[in-house]
Every structure is written in structure tokens, then in C-alpha cells.
Amino acid sequence: DTEVTQTPKHLVMGMTNKKSLKCEQHMGHRAMYWYKQKAKKPPELMFVYSYEKLSINESVPSRFSPECPNSSLLNLHLHALQPEDSALYLCASSQGRGQTEAFFGQGTRLTVV
Amino acid sequence: DQQVKQNSPSLSVQEGRISILNCDYTNSMFDYFLWYKKYPAEGPTFLISISSIKDKNEDGRFTVFLNKSAKHLSLHIVPSQPGDSAVYFCAASAGTYKYIFGTGTRLKVLA
């Protein structure tokens, strides 16, 4: 089982809204990631959690707030987003760092209006 | 600074023939390389990977070749099938949690 599950699949939110993206994996992976992908661009790393602790923050604006409640779950809390934040948000997980694969979820298509 | 580059934005191949997708990198610290396949509005699907201690890895129809001296890797798909039509990303890692992705190549396999 190499499944990473993301909910919701689609989300439309206003600039004053607060919403959350959710991600779940049951592969026993200890690293979980949030990536952002704009059209015709490669995925860009936002955050990495390792053993439930924030390991990497790629200078992401504070309107994006990650949370790792346990080793299987990863959330991304959204508040006061801008239309340019509209993108495909991808969650991924891996066994660790180094020579290992990351497995991605199906993504959440976010539209900020 | 684009550390991983895929210089061909698109590629068309006849069904049954070989597809060759190329990727170049600049960071000599990269020691693990991956290929992902992506359909529109979906997450990338892992295809195959290779460690820097190898120069070839094969999995079914997919083979990845690594030329460290040229900082170049390629993905061969033989035989190509219409279902292979997608965007292919190469990615690289330097022993950290960061996977750096290339810009992608859109493969179209013609029936």
C-alpha cells in the first residue's frame, strides 16, 4: 500500500476564509511533506515534518500554517490567502531522508476568490 | 537557480517505439534520482529511482540510466503505450528531505 490520501479534492475559498487541507498515510512513513504546484511548473517544497516535528519551512508566508497531529496525519491550515495562492497542493510521505522515494497524494485543487 | 533541468518540454513517440526522456542536473551533491509520472490535476506517481552508486536501474518497461560525469540521467520506456502519455518529472535528492524537481516533459504516445 503506497497510498497517501488528501481531502478535500477541490476547495474554493474567499480571501477572508479559514480552511484546512488534510493528508493521511498509513505506510509508517516518518517524513511528511507539503508541496505546491502551479500550472506548467514543477512541484515546489513548502514544509517537511520529520518524526512529527517541523524540519523544513521553505520561507512560506505565515498565512499557511502546517500541523502534524501524529505520525499518520498532516494538516495545512489556510487563512487570509491571496488569489495567487491558487494552486494544486500536494502532500507526500517518505520513510525518511536520503535514498528513499516520496509518495504523493492526489492533491487538493485550491482556488482563492 | 534551476538545479534540475528537463530541456525538452514535450516529446511525441509512436506506440510500440522507445521513449527517451532526459534530465540534467548541476548539483554534484545529489545522490539519488527519481522519475515521476503525472496526469493533470493529480499527484505525481513514483516510477523508478536510481542511486548514484549505480549507472542503470530497470523495472519492467522502464529503465533509468545515470551518467554522473555528465550529470545526466535518462528514462527509457520500451515499448511505449498510449497510457504512458503524461508529464514526466525527474527529481533529485542530496541526502536530505528536499526533492528538487525538474520542469517536466510532456510525453504523447501516438496510437
Side-chain angles (χ1 to χ4, degrees):
Chain A
D1 179 14
T2 57
E3 189 168 341
V4 177
T5 304
Q6 289 186 244
T7 55
K9 194 170 174 63
H10 301 277
L11 178 62
V12 179
M13 63 184 290
M15 289 188 284
T16 59
N17 290 160
K18 287 185 181 181
K19 297 286 185 183
S20 296
L21 309 184
K22 297 185 182 301
C23 175
E24 189 169 4
Q25 59 89 13
H26 295 287
M27 295 177 277
H29 288 173
R30 303 319 299 257
M32 295 187 76
Y33 309 74
W34 282 114
Y35 279 82
K36 173 182 178 179
Q37 186 177 24
K38 303 279 272 185
K40 300 187 188 301
K41 297 288 188 182
E44 293 183 1
L45 182 65
M46 300 175 72
F47 303 103
V48 180
Y49 273 82
S50 171
Y51 291 87
E52 301 163 48
K53 292 191 185 331
L54 185 63
S55 178
I56 296 176
N57 176 344
E58 291 285 270
S59 303
V60 179
S62 60
R63 58 186 184 268
F64 296 90
S65 176
E67 177 196 21
C68 189
N70 60 53
S71 60
S72 299
L73 295 174
L74 186 66
N75 299 321
L76 185 63
H77 303 297
L78 315 172
H79 175 53
L81 294 193
Q82 303 296 311
E84 58 264 30
D85 296 321
S86 299
L88 182 67
Y89 287 83
L90 297 163
C91 174
S93 70
S94 69
Q95 285 185 333
R97 65 178 180 180
Q99 302 202 351
T100 183
E101 302 77 35
F103 294 94
F104 285 81
Q106 293 297 290
T108 294
R109 171 66 61 188
L110 174 67
T111 303
V112 182
V113 297
Chain B
D1 177 27
Q2 189 69 33
Q3 298 184 64
V4 181
K5 299 179 184 179
Q6 294 175 253
N7 291 318
S8 297
S10 63
L11 174 68
S12 292
V13 173
Q14 285 296 130
E15 181 179 7
R17 305 296 291 270
I18 184 171
S19 294
I20 300 176
L21 297 100
N22 295 304
C23 180
D24 297 295
Y25 61 96
T26 57
N27 187 343
S28 58
M29 298 301 291
F30 288 146
D31 62 357
Y32 198 65
F33 303 89
L34 311 93
W35 283 95
Y36 287 86
K37 172 182 179 180
K38 188 178 183 303
Y39 295 114
E42 292 187 6
T45 300
F46 169 72
L47 281 176
I48 192 169
S49 60
I50 188 167
S51 166
S52 59
I53 63 172
K54 296 185 176 182
D55 55 16
K56 177 182 175 181
N57 190 26
E58 196 171 352
D59 184 1
R61 297 187 297 116
F62 302 93
T63 303
V64 56
F65 296 91
L66 176 62
N67 182 333
K68 283 181 294 183
S69 61
K71 293 190 175 70
H72 177 84
L73 64 154
S74 61
L75 175 68
H76 293 209
I77 307 174
V78 182
S80 301
Q81 300 173 352
D84 296 329
S85 297
V87 177
Y88 288 78
F89 289 96
C90 65
S93 170
T96 69
Y97 290 110
K98 289 189 179 185
Y99 296 88
I100 307 299
F101 283 80
T103 47
T105 296
R106 182 177 302 279
L107 173 66
K108 188 171 184 179
V109 179
L110 306 170

